[in-house]
Structures are given as C-alpha cells and as structure tokens.
Amino acid sequence: MRSVADQLAAVLAAAAPMPPLDVVLSDADGCIVARDVVAEADVPVVPMADRDGYAVLAADARGAGELPVVDDVPVTGSRLRHVPGTAVLVAAGAPLPVGADAVVPLEASDRGRAKVALRAAVAPGEGVRQAGQDARAGSTVLAAGTRVGPRHLALAAAVGRSRLWVRPTPRVVVVTIGDELVEAGRRLRDGTVHDADAHALVAAAREAGAAAVRVGPVPDDRAVLREVVADQLVRADLLVLVGGLSAGPWDTVGDVLAGLPDVRVDQVAMTPGGRMGFGVVPGAVLPVDDGAPGVIVAALPGHPVDALLTFEMFLRPALRAMAGQVTLYRPNVRAAVARAWASPAGLTQVVPATVVGSPGEGYTATPLEPGVESLAALARANALVVVPEDTTMVAAGDLVSCLVLEG
Ligand SMILES: Nc1nc2c(c(=O)[nH]1)N[C@H]1C(S)=C(S)[C@@H](COP(=O)(O)OP(=O)(O)OC[C@H]3O[C@@H](n4cnc5c(N)ncnc54)[C@H](O)[C@@H]3O)O[C@H]1N2
Ligand code: MOO
C-alpha cells in the first residue's frame, strides 16, 4: 500500500510540463505562457487623442477663448506639428500633434472648423492617451506562467504579436470500461448502469486545463481494450482508463496494463477510492522528440465517487503541472467541523462537506455522509475535507484541512 503523499510524488514526477510550442494567438487561449513577451515599441506608439475635439496647448485654453483651427487630423492621419496659439481638430484615436498637450472635447466648444470658441479649460494631459500607456517599449507584458485569457490576448495583439510560445493544452482521453455501462438517456436492463464517469472525467480534465475526449464505453474484453489503448496512446498526453480494475476474472485493466512495463497498479492508502494504475509509456508518440515525455497512463476505480476523488487527488495536480500552471492545488482552508465522525486508521479519508464562513470569522465544515460513497453527497459539497492517515476520530470543533471546490 502506498501513502497518498508517495503516490502524489510519483504522479507529479511523471507530469512534466508540456514542451513549449509557438502557436497563433487563437490557439493560445487558455494555455500557459512559456516565454516572456516583451513589447518592442510603446503602445500607443505616440500620444493620441482619446476623444473627438481640438488638440491645443493647455496653456492656450486656460480661459474660454477663441483659437484658429489650422488643420484637422482623422484617426489615420499623420502626426502634425502644433503651433502655439492654434487648435487642430482631431478624431478620437488620431495622433496628437507634436507640441499639443491636451484635447478639448467637441462638446466644450462651438464645433467651429475655421476658428473655435472653447467653453472649458483643460489641464495638460487631459483628453490624451500617452505613448506607452497600454504597454511600454522594452517591458515584459506577459510573463512566463501567465494563463492566457481575453485580456492577455488583447495585450499580445496590441503589441503586434501574432504568435506566442505557450505550453500546449494537455490532451486527455477518458476510456470507460465495463459490459454494464449504458449511455445516459438509454433504458437500463438487468445489471446495467448509466456511464457517469465519462462525462464527469472529461469535464474534470477540462476544468484542470486539458482538452479532453471520451472513448467508450469499452466492454470487458481484453483484446478490445488492448486495441483501444494502442489507438488512444497516439493521441493522448494522459490516457485515463476507468473501471475494470477489480480482482475478478472479468476485469481487464490489470492484464492489459501488465503489457505496459512502466505502468503499475497500486493500492493507495486513501478512501474512498485508492486502487490506481499509473505509469508512463515512453515513445508512444511518433516521431519521438528528444525529451518527449511519453504518455501517462492512469487507471481509476469505476465507482464515480472513487473515480472523481482519485482524479481530484492525483490527476488534477498532474494535469495542472503538465499545462504549466504554477498553482497545482485547490485553495485550502482550515475549518472547524460541525459534528464528529470516524476515519479509518492508516488511510487518508476524503469527505465531501459544505463549508461556510469567511476569512475574518473562520470557517465551519459540515461533513456529508462520511464513510459512505454517495454521488449525491459529493455533488452537494463545496469542499473536500482531507483527514490524515493517522486520525481515527474527528471530533466536533476540530480544525480540519478543506480543499475548496468550484461552483
Ligand atoms: N476480491 C477483490 N475484489 C475487489 C478488490 C480486491 O482487492 N479484491 N478491490 C476492490 C477495490 S478497492 C476497488 S476500487 C474495485 C476496483 O474495481 P473497479 O472500480 O474498477 O470495478 P468496476 O466493477 O469497474 O466498478 C465498480 C462499480 O462502479 C460502477 N461503475 C464502473 N464504471 C462506471 C461508470 N463509468 N459509470 C458509473 N458507474 C460505474 C460499476 O458498475 C461497479 O458498480 O475493485 C474492488 N474489488
Ligand atoms: O481502491 Mo477501492 O477504490 O478502495 O474502493
């Protein structure tokens, strides 16, 4: 039996960050930046009017007064030289004439084209977007480790980058296994159950930052499973097999994994769940690059609570590491438990719970059916209490460590 800590260390040791790729902006969304992006020039490159109006020297427009309008600049116009004592009609986004330091908005004028009466004073800098205001030349605008989202795409495009070096999104294939599995929506016959794991694990992998697809359900047939594994190894960075991991003659995963020398099945000291296959199949991706990490193969127990909690404890951090995320774990809070429960000796117990409170007042965790595998309880929880191996009793008021779930 392996401790949770040892298993997590083994999993993380295999979960190398994906080798960086240079991708077009549209493919970078959601990925982690692998190389800093430095702005080559100021953005905007020159000061710009940020409103339609009159570019002036603020000192010339201190009181209400009239100025001759000597030129006008549309948004695509070239940069003029401003003559003190004059005004230039400018569009919002037009380059500010050199020497002007403010823009009086149209609404504060009589909108004259030859000369203009200004009704308001402006301070230097008013109505102007300064050069480098969005990004300064030479500055790092996106640091390695940043997760690319809409704001970062805007900035990358604004500094003129059409491509970014990112860690590509890990690809996950989820294979559910079992003769008894039936797609949700289909009628159940004797002994069949709806396949709950495929949907859950694909969503969990996506939430962890991966691109995930499902394959199956695959029947309890070794030859079929072998073929599915061989097919999927070429398109996955992480291949997750779910179910078929029991000890009976019907269970196929142990035998199929035995054909992959670096993949082993362990009983991890965790409850619920615990039985887990894990390893790396080197060179499964052709052609083999230098340093190509190979494909991680993991096998999870089939019950949806076991499958989800085993994914949560081991594969979610692994996927985040592969994606290049800096933070691998969920936020953790300490909470006082609302009522007591027992925890098995020698096993890390994971208990769905509802946690309420605030950083100021502290948090309270109410366990949901501890010791019982209930998918409804797991779905209702907003946190998971992690009870250490050596704790056999959690008393009311004890402080426990809780992983905070989303949603
Ligand atoms: N004699 C022994 N039997 C078992 C041992 C053992 O040591 N000796 N270990 C037990 C442990 S611990 C676990 S964990 C399981 C591992 O087997 P699986 O979870 O892989 O077994 P399955 O039969 O595939 O599934 C268990 C349960 O979950 C249901 N299931 C499976 N897949 C799905 C799915 N996609 N959606 C919904 N439900 C699913 C399945 O129908 C079963 O009811 O082995 C123990 N046995
Ligand atoms: O290992 Mo099993 O997943 O204990 O229930």
Side-chain angles (χ1 to χ4, degrees):
M1 188 121 85
R2 267 198 176 181
S3 72
V4 167
D6 287 350
Q7 179 74 350
L8 184 57
V11 169
L12 290 179
M18 303 284 294
L21 266 187
D22 182 27
V23 302
V24 295
L25 285 188
S26 55
D27 290 342
D29 189 24
C31 297
I32 306 293
V33 175
R35 293 191 191 169
D36 289 356
V37 175
V38 175
E40 285 174 10
D42 280 347
V43 179
V45 68
V46 293
M48 284 182 167
D50 83 349
R51 50 182 82 166
D52 294 330
Y54 296 89
V56 297
L57 201 54
D60 291 339
R62 206 166 288 143
E66 236 180 40
L67 295 174
V69 179
V70 295
D71 217 327
D72 53 51
V73 188
V75 70
T76 56
S78 50
R79 207 164 177 212
L80 304 179
R81 185 160 293 282
H82 179 257
V83 177
T86 69
V88 174
L89 181 61
V90 289
L96 191 73
V98 178
D101 64 3
V103 176
V104 180
L106 280 181
E107 304 80 79
S109 77
D110 66 355
R111 299 173 188 251
R113 296 298 295 264
K115 56 185 172 38
V116 62
L118 303 176
R119 286 200 285 270
V122 279
E126 239 182 284
V128 177
R129 266 204 301 141
Q130 299 298 345
Q133 186 173 310
D134 282 310
R136 287 230 159 274
S139 68
T140 298
V141 289
L142 291 181
T146 306
R147 180 164 193 265
V148 178
R151 295 169 289 136
H152 314 102
L153 289 172
L155 185 52
V159 303
R161 291 287 293 256
S162 63
R163 310 181 69 91
L164 293 177
W165 280 93
V166 296
R167 301 209 179 268
T169 306
R171 297 161 308 159
V172 174
V173 175
V174 175
V175 180
T176 47
I177 300 155
D179 286 341
E180 78 279 26
L181 300 179
V182 173
E183 185 63 17
R186 298 257 169 85
R187 188 190 284 277
L188 293 182
R189 294 182 318 277
D190 279 354
T192 60
V193 297
H194 290 125
D195 180 356
D197 291 335
H199 292 287
L201 292 171
V202 163
R206 288 187 184 145
E207 186 272 336
V213 295
R214 52 179 291 204
V215 169
V218 173
D220 292 317
D221 177 316
R222 286 168 184 75
V224 174
L225 182 60
R226 236 174 243 123
E227 199 172 317
V228 168
V229 168
D231 287 350
Q232 299 307 323
L233 277 175
V234 298
R235 64 170 186 139
D237 300 303
L238 168 62
L239 176 58
V240 184
L241 309 179
V242 194
L245 202 53
S246 190
W250 308 274
D251 293 284
T252 55
V253 170
D255 291 341
V256 171
L257 292 185
L260 302 172
D262 298 318
V263 181
R264 50 185 274 179
V265 177
D266 283 288
Q267 193 67 35
V268 180
M270 167 181 157
T271 182
R275 211 165 159 75
M276 184 176 176
F278 187 81
V280 178
V281 178
V285 181
L286 296 170
V288 183
D289 299 342
D290 279 346
V295 178
I296 296 180
V297 176
L300 304 182
H303 188 278
V305 171
D306 295 337
L308 277 167
L309 293 181
T310 309
F311 180 95
E312 175 66 34
M313 297 298 280
F314 303 106
L315 298 186
R316 185 179 186 275
L319 280 174
R320 289 182 64 89
M322 290 164 77
Q325 295 271 8
V326 183
T327 316
L328 303 187
Y329 306 109
R330 292 193 190 270
N332 195 311
V333 297
R334 303 276 294 165
V337 307
R339 53 189 161 76
W341 75 88
S343 179
L347 300 182
T348 298
Q349 187 193 34
V350 182
V351 179
T354 50
V355 170
V356 293
S358 68
E361 298 162 358
Y363 296 93
T364 305
T366 304
L368 300 172
E369 306 191 39
V372 178
E373 286 186 6
S374 162
L375 198 46
L378 181 59
R380 222 162 8 108
N382 65 358
L384 299 172
V385 178
V386 180
V387 183
E389 283 174 27
D390 50 6
T391 303
T392 53
M393 196 65 212
V394 183
D398 280 0
L399 281 178
V400 290
S401 171
C402 305
L403 303 177
V404 180
L405 303 175
E406 277 165 17

